Amino acid sequence: MEDLFIKAFKQADYHVNGHGPRHLQVLKDAIEDLVGETESDMYGKGRVIEDFQEKMAGVLGKEAAVFFPSGTMAQQIALRIWCDEKGLKTVAYHPLCHLEIHEEDGLKELHHIKPILLADENRVITLDDVVNIKEEVACILIELPQREIGGQLPDYRMLEEISEYCREKGILLHLDGARLFEVLPYYKKSAQEVCALFDSVYISVYKGIGGIAGAVLAGSVEFTEKSKVWKRRHGGDLISLYPYILSADYYFDQHVHKMDQYYEEAKELAELYNRCAGITTLPKVPVSNMFHVHMEARKEDMEAIFAQLYKETGIGLTGHVRENGDNGSRFEVSLGDLYSRVPKNRLKEVFAKLDEKMKSR
Amino acid sequence: MEDLFIKAFKQADYHVNGHGPRHLQVLKDAIEDLVGETESDMYGKGRVIEDFQEKMAGVLGKEAAVFFPSGTMAQQIALRIWCDEKGLKTVAYHPLCHLEIHEEDGLKELHHIKPILLADENRVITLDDVVNIKEEVACILIELPQREIGGQLPDYRMLEEISEYCREKGILLHLDGARLFEVLPYYKKSAQEVCALFDSVYISVYKGIGGIAGAVLAGSVEFTEKSKVWKRRHGGDLISLYPYILSADYYFDQHVHKMDQYYEEAKELAELYNRCAGITTLPKVPVSNMFHVHMEARKEDMEAIFAQLYKETGIGLTGHVRENGDNGSRFEVSLGDLYSRVPKNRLKEVFAKLDEKMKSR
């Protein structure tokens, strides 16, 4: 069934999520108008990397920024630098933090850093969680939005209070801003304002930004210079990172000003899902361009329903359904350039049919 | 002076070393004929990465191969896996091993592995060095050719003896084959034959191969599967590595069959250098496409001589001279596609003039 479902998804006329397929054309478009003589970066030096790093430092309001091949590498290194600074091997983050569940325990295996898990799996970190940490920690990592629970956010005031508390106590605060730009419309803040609450900031260049791969780590010059040493140790100081940097720069300019639109569209789309029988979104009202869709039907059943739906309507809602508990399933939605290309009448049709199919299961 | 020297080098009509400038055109050429719908790899999965890995496993005669963003990452991981396998935290390698001098001690800082240095800085590792290791080691790393001493090689028989000895003693043998294909003409062996002497093999895709960045690590399926876990821990399991893979594949096919030519040209070029007063090459007769040029004149003086020479002849010999001892200097030469494009008569002219200039210092 999964194969048929994926096939039906791929063959749909329109897709609702994201910026489009992750294929070679993404790279071709990014470099098409650049001259062939554009010089490569060389082990972190050269205009192509230095210019982009300066641009990102400015955007994030930090002294300096460093381009990394991945966020996994950038964030482990950020926490390691803060641990070394404090002479402590303990940090704190959410139980569904990327470092905890997606990195094969790199933080523990390579850096021997112990994480304390804050809050619980179903909610974001609050000031109480931070105040009640029983051990001394070097650093706290906050992810905005909390991706694994649908992209939830703390109130901005709460964030400010956590930041103030950490400064007072000498705890360093790191931002997992993989989707930082995506939350700015809800917070009604600039990237600089949000980043000012944190000592170090990581952003991804291939989520809402739409690049190919890569990450930026920003902070003080002292911090970023140390991060370059660790980047080399990790094997991330490549002779050439320009394929990622040039595409990050290209798509940053294309997408960063459209985060308001994606946010509004996410709210609109979530409402359409929430009107369907047996379907709810998390959060109910999105606070960024993303949310999760929870269904009261098993993965195989939903894949069958979706495969049918895509064939009937030509609209692909998702290509990836996961189990959720014993009798449920879910998938993630991130809005990008594709949503606005879907004709509104066809979108209404697909959700009317989805509602019917959910009722007649 | 250095700026004038580099300017003169860049403005030369012909360059003698390498495949050409490391600029964006290298990427453009690699992907030009590929369709935009070519799908990205996704975290190590997908045709683009799996096909290239299979191809490389075949070329190297190993069960499996894994594409890495860098050799730094691949080799630390190889040594870590072998250390874990043996329950030992000690390895042995040459004092000028890449891991010892170019990686900010990543092996020690991230993996807490202690290296024992074999041989001395001026020669390659012999069987005696291996037999005389005083401590138990999990693994020995051999670099072919030994880059930092001009690309020297042990005799092939010596290599076989080291391999036999290690198998007998249960010491794992890892090949730093950054320039493996470049030494095959001298050894008159296939890549498979050389790799069969080793338990694990790393090759670079951007030295003689001429790609943009990246590395391949090959060995048994058990070994490579473990390496994928560590690749994720290091932050090297990128969502998309295809810009490097597609270009590695493209340039592999362009260059791998030309290693004989580069080797012959290296010997020819080294002879031209050795005829000049105050200049010798290391090794005297190259055993690969590379060698070092040693000059009995200081870096600043050689830069002045070269700047003048490049302007007079339009031929750029090198763009990078380093100090060597108190009164000497040196630079590295690697032969690639550019050498054969330099008209032979102009090449003779440049070396006649260089000899004159060296004599009249």
Side-chain angles (χ1 to χ4, degrees):
Chain A
M1 176 42 66
E2 195 171 359
D3 285 354
L4 280 176
F5 158 67
I6 289 169
K7 197 177 161 201
F9 177 71
K10 286 192 175 167
Q11 289 180 343
D13 304 328
Y14 293 98
H15 294 109
V16 170
N17 308 330
H19 292 307
R22 295 185 58 82
H23 58 207
L24 180 58
Q25 194 61 41
V26 175
L27 176 58
K28 288 191 176 224
D29 289 347
I31 63 173
E32 191 181 7
D33 293 339
L34 298 173
V35 294
E37 290 72 28
T38 305
E39 275 187 36
S40 173
D41 52 311
M42 278 287 277
Y43 299 113
K45 306 269 185 218
R47 289 264 52 87
V48 64
I49 189 164
E50 289 169 26
D51 285 354
F52 186 66
Q53 289 177 165
E54 274 170 39
K55 177 175 170 175
M56 288 300 109
V59 166
L60 301 172
K62 294 294 183 193
E63 271 181 19
V66 180
F67 191 87
F68 276 81
S70 74
T72 295
M73 193 184 293
Q75 295 208 104
Q76 283 181 31
I77 287 172
L79 299 194
R80 173 61 184 260
I81 293 168
W82 294 142
C83 280
D84 286 352
E85 172 126 342
K86 303 293 287 185
L88 279 168
K89 281 290 199 184
T90 313
V91 299
Y93 54 50
H94 192 270
L96 298 178
C97 176
H98 197 275
L99 289 98
E100 191 63 16
I101 63 172
H102 289 309
E103 304 183 5
E104 295 280 4
D105 281 339
L107 187 73
K108 298 163 200 170
E109 296 285 343
L110 289 169
H111 295 286
H112 309 282
I113 291 172
K114 185 184 85 168
I116 290 171
L117 305 182
L118 298 181
D120 67 53
E121 295 206 350
N122 302 308
R123 62 171 179 83
V124 299
I125 294 167
T126 65
L127 180 61
D128 274 353
D129 297 316
V130 171
V131 170
N132 290 323
I133 300 175
K134 298 280 180 265
E135 269 180 73
E136 210 182 343
V137 298
C139 173
I140 295 171
L141 177 151
I142 305 248
E143 182 185 350
L144 300 180
Q146 198 73 49
R147 185 245 180 130
E148 298 289 342
I149 49 174
Q152 297 182 48
L153 283 176
D155 287 344
Y156 197 73
R157 184 67 205 126
M158 174 69 78
L159 210 55
E160 290 178 317
E161 283 170 10
I162 291 173
S163 174
E164 281 160 28
Y165 177 83
C166 286
R167 295 239 157 113
E168 214 171 85
K169 298 289 178 187
I171 300 168
L172 293 150
L173 197 57
H174 172 76
L175 171 57
D176 178 341
R179 295 163 184 80
L180 170 64
F181 300 103
E182 291 87 323
V183 307
L184 300 178
Y186 171 77
Y187 276 151
K188 296 189 172 64
K189 299 287 174 187
S190 68
Q192 291 97 321
E193 285 172 304
V194 177
C195 293
L197 304 176
F198 296 85
D199 298 290
S200 57
V201 174
Y202 140 73
I203 60 159
S204 170
V205 302
Y206 67 89
K207 312 292 185 329
I209 298 303
I212 293 171
V216 171
L217 186 63
S220 68
V221 167
E222 196 190 338
F223 170 83
T224 52
E225 285 305 308
K226 283 180 187 162
S227 82
K228 290 178 188 173
V229 175
W230 283 107
K231 179 181 168 189
R232 176 157 282 235
R233 287 173 178 156
H234 266 252
D237 189 21
L238 307 198
I239 185 168
S240 296
L241 282 164
Y242 72 80
Y244 299 134
I245 297 167
L246 294 174
S247 43
D249 197 23
Y250 177 81
Y251 290 108
F252 182 86
D253 292 345
Q254 301 242 324
H255 294 137
V256 76
H257 62 279
K258 294 171 86 175
M259 297 295 163
D260 273 306
Q261 176 195 324
Y262 305 148
Y263 168 50
E264 293 303 325
E265 290 169 343
K267 287 188 287 186
E268 181 180 294
L269 182 60
E271 208 181 316
L272 291 170
Y273 277 112
N274 283 310
R275 280 191 211 149
C276 295
I279 298 180
T280 51
T281 70
L282 181 71
K284 184 96 191 286
V285 180
V287 290
S288 71
N289 75 324
M290 78 165 287
F291 56 88
H292 284 184
V293 179
H294 288 244
M295 295 152 299
E296 295 166 4
R298 300 171 70 134
K299 172 179 152 78
E300 314 80 71
D301 298 333
M302 285 312 305
E303 286 176 349
I305 288 174
F306 281 136
Q308 193 69 39
L309 185 70
Y310 302 167
K311 269 188 229 165
E312 289 172 20
T313 64
I315 311 275
L317 293 178
T318 182
H320 188 53
V321 176
R322 297 162 63 181
E323 311 258 8
N324 195 36
D326 283 345
N327 295 303
S329 57
R330 64 176 166 129
F331 61 89
E332 185 170 281
V333 171
S334 294
L335 277 283
D337 281 350
L338 294 189
Y339 181 79
S340 60
R341 297 184 203 160
V342 186
K344 290 285 181 235
N345 57 331
R346 291 182 67 172
L347 204 62
K348 274 186 191 153
E349 184 203 347
V350 75
F351 279 97
K353 289 205 175 202
L354 178 57
D355 184 37
E356 271 172 39
K357 285 177 196 294
M358 291 302 286
K359 279 174 181 151
S360 62
R361 274 183 306 141
Chain B
M1 175 42 64
E2 195 171 0
D3 284 354
L4 280 175
F5 158 66
I6 290 169
K7 198 176 159 202
F9 177 72
K10 286 192 176 169
Q11 289 179 343
D13 304 329
Y14 294 96
H15 293 109
V16 170
N17 308 330
H19 291 308
R22 294 186 57 82
H23 58 207
L24 179 58
Q25 194 60 40
V26 175
L27 176 60
K28 287 192 177 226
D29 289 346
I31 63 174
E32 190 179 9
D33 292 337
L34 298 173
V35 294
E37 289 72 27
T38 304
E39 275 187 36
S40 174
D41 51 311
M42 279 285 277
Y43 300 113
K45 305 269 185 219
R47 289 264 52 88
V48 65
I49 189 163
E50 288 167 27
D51 286 354
F52 185 66
Q53 290 176 166
E54 274 169 41
K55 177 174 170 176
M56 288 300 109
V59 166
L60 301 172
K62 294 294 182 192
E63 270 181 21
V66 180
F67 190 87
F68 276 82
S70 74
T72 296
M73 193 184 293
Q75 295 208 103
Q76 283 182 31
I77 287 172
L79 299 194
R80 174 60 185 260
I81 292 169
W82 294 142
C83 280
D84 285 353
E85 173 125 339
K86 303 295 287 186
L88 280 168
K89 281 291 199 182
T90 312
V91 298
Y93 53 50
H94 192 270
L96 298 178
C97 176
H98 197 275
L99 290 96
E100 190 63 14
I101 63 172
H102 289 308
E103 304 183 5
E104 295 280 3
D105 280 339
L107 187 73
K108 298 164 200 169
E109 296 284 342
L110 288 169
H111 295 285
H112 309 283
I113 292 172
K114 186 183 87 169
I116 290 172
L117 305 182
L118 298 182
D120 67 52
E121 295 206 352
N122 301 310
R123 62 172 181 83
V124 298
I125 294 167
T126 64
L127 179 62
D128 274 353
D129 297 317
V130 171
V131 171
N132 290 323
I133 299 175
K134 299 279 179 267
E135 267 179 77
E136 210 182 344
V137 298
C139 174
I140 294 172
L141 178 151
I142 305 248
E143 183 185 350
L144 301 179
Q146 198 73 50
R147 185 246 181 128
E148 298 289 343
I149 48 173
Q152 298 183 48
L153 283 176
D155 287 343
Y156 196 73
R157 184 66 206 126
M158 174 69 78
L159 210 54
E160 289 177 317
E161 283 170 9
I162 291 173
S163 175
E164 281 160 29
Y165 177 83
C166 287
R167 293 239 158 113
E168 214 170 87
K169 298 288 178 188
I171 301 168
L172 294 150
L173 198 57
H174 171 76
L175 171 58
D176 177 341
R179 295 164 183 80
L180 170 63
F181 300 103
E182 292 87 323
V183 307
L184 300 178
Y186 171 76
Y187 277 150
K188 296 189 172 63
K189 299 286 175 188
S190 69
Q192 292 96 319
E193 286 171 304
V194 178
C195 292
L197 304 177
F198 296 85
D199 299 290
S200 56
V201 173
Y202 140 74
I203 60 158
S204 171
V205 302
Y206 66 88
K207 311 292 183 333
I209 299 302
I212 293 172
V216 171
L217 186 63
S220 68
V221 168
E222 195 190 339
F223 170 82
T224 52
E225 286 304 308
K226 283 180 187 162
S227 82
K228 290 177 187 173
V229 175
W230 283 108
K231 179 181 168 189
R232 176 157 285 235
R233 287 175 179 155
H234 267 252
D237 190 20
L238 308 198
I239 185 168
S240 295
L241 282 165
Y242 72 81
Y244 299 133
I245 298 167
L246 294 175
S247 43
D249 197 22
Y250 178 80
Y251 290 108
F252 182 86
D253 292 346
Q254 300 242 326
H255 294 138
V256 77
H257 62 279
K258 294 171 86 176
M259 297 296 162
D260 273 306
Q261 177 195 322
Y262 305 148
Y263 168 51
E264 293 303 326
E265 290 169 343
K267 287 188 285 186
E268 180 181 294
L269 182 59
E271 209 180 314
L272 291 170
Y273 277 112
N274 283 310
R275 280 190 212 149
C276 296
I279 298 182
T280 52
T281 69
L282 181 71
K284 184 95 191 285
V285 179
V287 291
S288 71
N289 74 324
M290 77 165 288
F291 56 88
H292 283 184
V293 179
H294 287 244
M295 295 153 298
E296 294 168 5
R298 301 170 70 135
K299 171 179 152 76
E300 313 82 69
D301 297 333
M302 284 313 304
E303 285 176 349
I305 288 174
F306 281 136
Q308 194 69 39
L309 185 71
Y310 301 167
K311 269 188 230 164
E312 288 171 19
T313 63
I315 311 274
L317 293 178
T318 182
H320 188 53
V321 176
R322 297 162 63 182
E323 311 258 9
N324 194 36
D326 283 346
N327 294 305
S329 57
R330 66 176 165 126
F331 61 90
E332 184 170 283
V333 171
S334 294
L335 277 283
D337 281 350
L338 293 189
Y339 181 79
S340 60
R341 295 184 203 159
V342 186
K344 289 287 181 233
N345 58 331
R346 291 182 67 172
L347 204 61
K348 275 187 190 152
E349 184 203 347
V350 75
F351 280 98
K353 288 207 177 201
L354 178 58
D355 185 38
E356 270 172 40
K357 284 177 198 294
M358 291 301 287
K359 280 174 179 150
S360 62
R361 273 183 308 142

